[in-house]
Amino acid sequence: NRYPPVANDLANPNIQIPNLLVVSLPQLGDIAAFASSVGSGHSAIFIGGGAMIYAGRHDVKLNTLNGYQGQASKETVTFRRFKP
């Protein structure tokens, strides 16, 4: 495709995305993706210890996976890892 996948695509483990494999145990640098029924979802980079970093509308944010899931009412997160 010409454009990168949106977070809803990244969050759907049934969608095959070349070079971005779904993993169950995240490691440093993996993508954490949350689906959304409104908009294109949310994605972040896992930085270890249950934390992730992501771009907000006006700044860069740091949060925990549990904190983000509670804040955004997300039930699941899908992790993907880049494999060349």
Side-chain angles (χ1 to χ4, degrees), residues 29-40:
D30 286 347
I31 296 169
F34 304 86
S36 176
S37 59
V38 177
S40 59

Side-chain angles (χ1 to χ4, degrees), residues 17-81:
I17 300 174
N19 301 97
L20 293 176
L21 306 177
V22 174
V23 295
S24 56
L25 296 173
Q27 294 180 358
L28 183 67
D30 286 347
I31 296 169
F34 304 86
S36 176
S37 59
V38 177
S40 59
H42 303 279
S43 61
I45 301 297
F46 184 74
I47 58 172
M52 60 181 190
I53 190 166
Y54 55 99
R57 194 172 286 198
H58 302 288
D59 53 6
V60 174
K61 299 180 180 191
L62 178 66
N63 204 340
T64 64
L65 291 170
N66 290 338
Y68 184 83
Q69 285 176 302
Q71 190 177 26
S73 299
K74 304 294 181 219
E75 293 181 10
T76 60
V77 58
T78 299
F79 295 102
R80 289 187 182 260
R81 183 171 300 144

